[in-house]
Amino acid sequence: MRRADLTEFEIEDQGFKLRIRRNGDERPVVTSSNTPPPFAVSAPEPTPQAAPPPVVFPTARNTVALPEAGVSYIKSPMVGTFYRAAAPENPSFVNVGDVVTETSVVCIIEAMKVMNDIQAEARGTILEALVENGKSVEYGQPLFKIKTA
Amino acid sequence: MRRADLTEFEIEDQGFKLRIRRNGDERPVVTSSNTPPPFAVSAPEPTPQAAPPPVVFPTARNTVALPEAGVSYIKSPMVGTFYRAAAPENPSFVNVGDVVTETSVVCIIEAMKVMNDIQAEARGTILEALVENGKSVEYGQPLFKIKTA
Amino acid sequence: MFGKILIANRGEIALRIIRACKELGIRTVAVYSEADEQSLHVQLADGAICIGPAPSTESYLRADRIISAAEIADVDAIHPGYGFLSEDADFAEQCERCGIKFIGPTSATIRDMGDKARARDMAKAAGVPIVPGSDGPIEDPNEALEVAKQIGFPVIIKAVSGGGGRGMRLAHNPVSFAREFGSAKIEAEKAFGDGSVYIEKYIEEPRHIEFQILGDTHGNIIHLGERDCSVQRRHQKVIEEAPSPIMTDDLRKRMGDAAIKIARAVGYVNAGTIENLVDKHGNFYFIEMNTRIQVEHAVTEEAVGIDLVKEQIRIAAGHPITIKQEDVKFIRHAIEVRICAENPARNFAPSPGRVNLYYPPGGHGVRVDSHVYGEYVIPPYYDSMISKVITFGATRELALDRMSRALGEYLIGGIETNIAFTRAIIRDHEFIKGGATTKFIEDFFSRTPKELFSSPPSHSDGK
Amino acid sequence: MFGKILIANRGEIALRIIRACKELGIRTVAVYSEADEQSLHVQLADGAICIGPAPSTESYLRADRIISAAEIADVDAIHPGYGFLSEDADFAEQCERCGIKFIGPTSATIRDMGDKARARDMAKAAGVPIVPGSDGPIEDPNEALEVAKQIGFPVIIKAVSGGGGRGMRLAHNPVSFAREFGSAKIEAEKAFGDGSVYIEKYIEEPRHIEFQILGDTHGNIIHLGERDCSVQRRHQKVIEEAPSPIMTDDLRKRMGDAAIKIARAVGYVNAGTIENLVDKHGNFYFIEMNTRIQVEHAVTEEAVGIDLVKEQIRIAAGHPITIKQEDVKFIRHAIEVRICAENPARNFAPSPGRVNLYYPPGGHGVRVDSHVYGEYVIPPYYDSMISKVITFGATRELALDRMSRALGEYLIGGIETNIAFTRAIIRDHEFIKGGATTKFIEDFFSRTPKELFSSPPSHSDGK
């Protein structure tokens, strides 16, 4: 999986996080991704509240991760490659609608050739899977959105 | 009068304006004067109103020249040396308490060896003379505070 | 040496002069308009005097107020920078009369060289090639047409009092000539109060190559090599570099000798620039002399390693130039980009306003001359140039790579700038191979999608 | 050449490496902690990966996460910068095992040189003078006292695993020795998990003079002259310059030869630094080797005109060094001041927080390496160094004058900095005459009124 490229870092949930990308011959372009914060763009997400303390480069933290009642995220505790199942032919550990407990394994993250079981660490119902199978994830990246029990 | 030095630019009304001075071997020091704005100091003047649009270097305009009902300033229309009288032995053109009209000569400013009569350009009563006789003045510098009629 | 200098300018060049003075231990006095209270030249000078309201006609162009300020501040000299009063012979003369040293050539030299036709005559008399053209101003349309035919079309009609590209018209044939000649005269009369025009040969694939001159009061005159300023938009320089990618040792020798000949002919003192056009065959033609420090002086400073503004001050103080011509060498390649608050995607409309994000490039081989800081408000009253980025390195390739990365990391938010536009030029194949003539930008602009030149949204939105 | 490099660092050095990569056409991947989302290395790299929360033990010191990031980003090499994992032999070894090029020496070299006693032995074996002292770590207090007497008091007791001044104790006589020896061992055990200490001769009026080394995989090793880093506070360098004001051609030749001998003895590859003390008689003693790029590398870059970070990358990619020893020359004097977010008037207490006014110095002869911009919040988790100012010029005097003016125009609001403090040093008579030893700051601090070091109120208040 070393061949995964940073350009694959985009996640389906367009509104979730933003990141800045720079190609060799371009000025910064804002693309959707889950890594670092882009420049001062007006972020395309619902932020009708009072402005947070001034930040120059909006980030997930200050633009999107607004607390939603009863909703939380299972986040990646490491940097690596995300797998929804133990093997390609196996079913996913969890699917939308599944109920999980703190110790439910929700995915595997491969880091340094080691397969790490990732537990939910919360009780609730899976609302959405935020990362595609086989994609790279970074520390703190939301993996699943859950409705907490 | 070429010998007047910039260090003499301070005016009596300490609270009126501030300026930054730099000597050859010092970091900026804030002194009272009527010329340019100092660094972001909390200016020692009455500004209890809502903050004006952000400025980095507070100036007379944004910190002090708040409209006071019935009070205005006679300002210098040029750069030069300020004289309160036509000659050292003569009385001052105006003194505190004097009533002036638009065309009253209130002082002389010498610029490029020429003595320029300065008119009040307002009607009212002299409340205060802001510049000492023989001192240098710059463009826009308040010379007299008047109570407008 | 001088004890105190007044700087009769604003923006980056005022800071540039303050820096030179500080390094020389000279005290500085800034003058400023009411619009510039928040400007750094006011903050960083040892003293500052307000000389008028925002419009430059009421402040930076007011010779009387500047001289008054010089008198009350008791300065020994005035540095005029570039623009404003820097090439105003009357101002220089007033300084001379008041016993304040004007840091530049004598008022007589400024006057001589300010008259473009007279300057050409002097160059011609000194044996320096000039662009073939009418012998001075020409009044009669028929006589003018005859001259144009003699020179051979296409020709350019230029205002005697013009400069910087203003008051110039091109004619390709006798018919267009008749029309353009009349228009040029009317335009010149309107713009400069002087309808005199002259006619010149149109140069094929011209490059703008200028030579930096230094002359002292002891009769020493040297040149510091060339700057290639071919990348211009509407006759305004955008990118300058030294050495010129098309220069040869032989051509440099001949052009340098010619530059010194002209400077010697007018007894030139202080820093000046001999501007030339070089055609595709390597022929060069003197076009005019600038009697001030140029915007692009930093290119020479980095390429040859000499501080030009300090030299100006030393020369004005009567010191002899200690640099020998044979010791002047290009020790590296240097290139400058002028950063302007303007929107290339909207016909370069000026874009003044508050800068809400500011990070200038840094690191090895990068010099920035700018008066901008975060939260600075760029006033709408003055030139749109807000910064100069100069990069340098052992080779042209390195200097260009460095410029590309420097512009790539230059972050300016809240206003539009030409950073993306100029970076696209730096990365352009034609420019990289050294092929840019004075037509480059026109051509580049027409063949490049405009989206490339607009700042990314991130750079223009508020925070 | 590499296609993509991961930068395992933050702050100015991460930017420094990104700049080198961009100029070489190499793509970059930043790693960052959650506290550094707003940091420019994240913004200016081609990609960036969050590796953990704010504390460096959970992010920048996490080798596993950095290697994972390198793997998913598919980089060819990792540049460790300075600090963090740059001298961690295990990390370098992991990189080696994973087939990711560690831009630095081999893990074996890092391990050898990281053991200060072993490094001394190697230098000694190579015939390079070392500070007289115990032959390696010494356990027994009585044996230690004998050695101390042999060497002659005063002596210094140093932790084998220490460095940067941590774990060092001075003893002036047998009585204090007995006390300090015990304390040093306990302290070393606590701080480094290794109580081994050794004993050294105390050097009179020592200057810290280090030599920059470059070695390639083809057996070429050169040195790029010295840096004088005598101005230190608690063994942390504050001001560095090159050349050293006390250097002679003869001493440089001998010290340079010695540095190369050591590098050759360990088969050194990539950039490294041989640190020496030079006593008042001009005797020099090897003290340790740093197996990474140094904070102060920019001093050498400006003084000799060589881009060290690019050389590091080229060497790591297997390219031979193309610079010949005889071509390395000091082409100018360069000096660096480390700007820290700290309050000199309050015992240099760190001063993190929001920068509400920021204007870095610019112009001719000034280089700034910094990741700060207006409104940047300096996080409290990392080193307080926020910027490096490097000035250079034909002479030391010019470089110092330029530093004085550069620091004078460096505007940082909202936090406290050491700008006024360091500017006072630059203008100090003793420093100017080149007399600074490693005791300079202690002495300077005691004889100078503290008011001089505090920022003017204008620089610390909010806007």
Side-chain angles (χ1 to χ4, degrees), chain A residues 99-115:
Chain A
V99 172
V100 295
T101 66
E102 284 84 347
T103 55
S104 305
V105 171
V106 293
C107 62
I108 281 176
I109 293 177
E110 179 191 1
M112 303 189 76
K113 322 292 178 228
V114 176
M115 296 294 178

Side-chain angles (χ1 to χ4, degrees), chain A residues 2 4 35-37 57 61 138, chain D residues 34 37-38 43 48 50 72 75:
Chain A
R2 259 197 78 195
T35 13
F57 308 107
R61 267 168 201 71
E138 63 178 346
Chain D
E34 290 181 324
E37 277 196 329
Q38 297 286 312
Q43 302 300 327
C50 182
I72 65 171
V75 301

Side-chain angles (χ1 to χ4, degrees), chain B residues 2-20:
Chain B
R2 260 196 79 194
R3 296 294 121 189
D5 195 87
L6 260 193
T7 56
E8 298 180 23
F9 257 46
E10 290 120 42
I11 51 175
E12 280 109 359
D13 187 345
Q14 286 287 334
F16 192 79
K17 263 190 177 184
L18 290 170
R19 75 164 304 198
I20 182 168

Side-chain angles (χ1 to χ4, degrees), chain B residues 34-58:
Chain B
N34 60 328
T35 12
F39 286 79
V41 297
S42 46
E45 79 316 310
T47 321
Q49 285 94 328
V55 286
V56 177
F57 308 108

Side-chain angles (χ1 to χ4, degrees), chain D residues 153-173:
Chain D
F153 286 101
V155 299
I156 289 185
I157 307 150
K158 289 184 171 183
V160 167
S161 302
R166 297 190 308 159
M168 283 167 69
R169 289 189 166 243
L170 182 62
H172 288 274
N173 53 55

Side-chain angles (χ1 to χ4, degrees), chain D residues 165-399:
Chain D
R166 297 190 308 159
M168 283 167 69
R169 289 189 166 243
L170 182 62
H172 288 274
N173 53 55
V175 175
S176 70
F177 182 84
R179 187 179 63 237
E180 298 295 340
F181 185 78
S183 306
K185 286 190 67 67
I186 292 164
E187 201 177 281
E189 179 64 45
K190 242 202 222 152
F192 315 113
D194 173 11
S196 318
V197 297
Y198 60 100
I199 302 170
E200 265 181 14
K201 173 85 183 150
Y202 176 73
I203 308 295
E204 293 168 285
E205 299 183 19
R207 296 188 73 113
H208 176 114
I209 297 182
E210 60 189 28
F211 272 68
Q212 177 68 51
I213 289 290
L214 284 180
D216 67 19
T217 52
H218 307 269
N220 301 305
I221 296 182
I222 60 171
H223 75 81
L224 304 182
E226 80 279 5
R227 291 185 290 259
D228 192 321
C229 313
S230 300
V231 178
Q232 308 184 347
R233 195 181 72 81
R234 302 199 175 164
H235 301 279
Q236 295 290 337
K237 295 162 189 166
V238 176
I239 297 175
E240 304 99 344
E241 63 183 309
S244 166
I246 63 143
M247 191 53 69
T248 63
D249 286 347
D250 172 62
L251 183 58
R252 182 178 295 123
K253 174 94 180 63
R254 288 187 292 120
M255 292 185 74
D257 287 350
I260 287 180
K261 262 189 213 164
I262 296 169
R264 216 172 270 296
V266 295
Y268 199 84
V269 170
N270 218 293
T273 300
I274 305 288
E275 296 196 332
N276 307 277
L277 289 181
V278 178
D279 72 15
K280 63 177 176 184
H281 313 291
N283 300 310
F284 69 94
Y285 308 97
F286 167 77
I287 47 174
E288 66 178 60
M289 180 166 197
N290 292 315
T291 57
R292 56 161 201 273
I293 194 79
Q294 308 261 109
V295 173
E296 63 270 26
H297 74 275
V299 169
T300 298
E301 291 186 327
E302 300 310 324
V304 305
I306 291 169
D307 188 320
L308 280 170
V309 177
K310 282 190 190 165
E311 289 301 325
Q312 284 196 294
I313 295 169
R314 286 198 195 100
I315 288 167
H319 295 209
I321 298 169
T322 56
I323 310 151
K324 292 202 174 60
Q325 184 66 62
E326 58 269 28
D327 296 335
V328 177
K329 295 262 182 303
F330 281 121
I331 55 174
R332 48 196 178 182
H333 195 94
I335 182 161
E336 171 178 281
V337 169
R338 300 186 186 193
I339 308 302
C340 296
E342 63 185 18
N343 189 344
R346 292 187 194 157
N347 200 26
F348 298 88
S351 178
R354 184 175 303 276
V355 174
N356 63 21
L357 168 63
Y358 189 70
Y359 178 80
H364 188 48
V366 176
R367 167 177 171 182
V368 178
D369 278 49
S370 175
H371 59 294
V372 175
Y373 54 87
E375 300 301 316
Y376 176 66
V377 178
I378 294 158
Y381 307 101
Y382 314 109
D383 195 87
S384 66
M385 196 184 79
I386 54 170
S387 178
K388 305 187 310 200
V389 179
I390 303 100
T391 61
F392 39 93
T395 63
R396 183 170 189 262
E397 187 190 0
L398 182 51

Side-chain angles (χ1 to χ4, degrees), chain C residues 192-212:
Chain C
F192 317 111
D194 172 12
S196 317
V197 298
Y198 60 101
I199 302 170
E200 265 181 15
K201 173 83 182 155
Y202 175 73
I203 308 295
E204 293 168 283
E205 300 183 18
R207 297 188 72 115
H208 176 115
I209 297 181
E210 60 190 29
F211 272 69
Q212 177 68 51

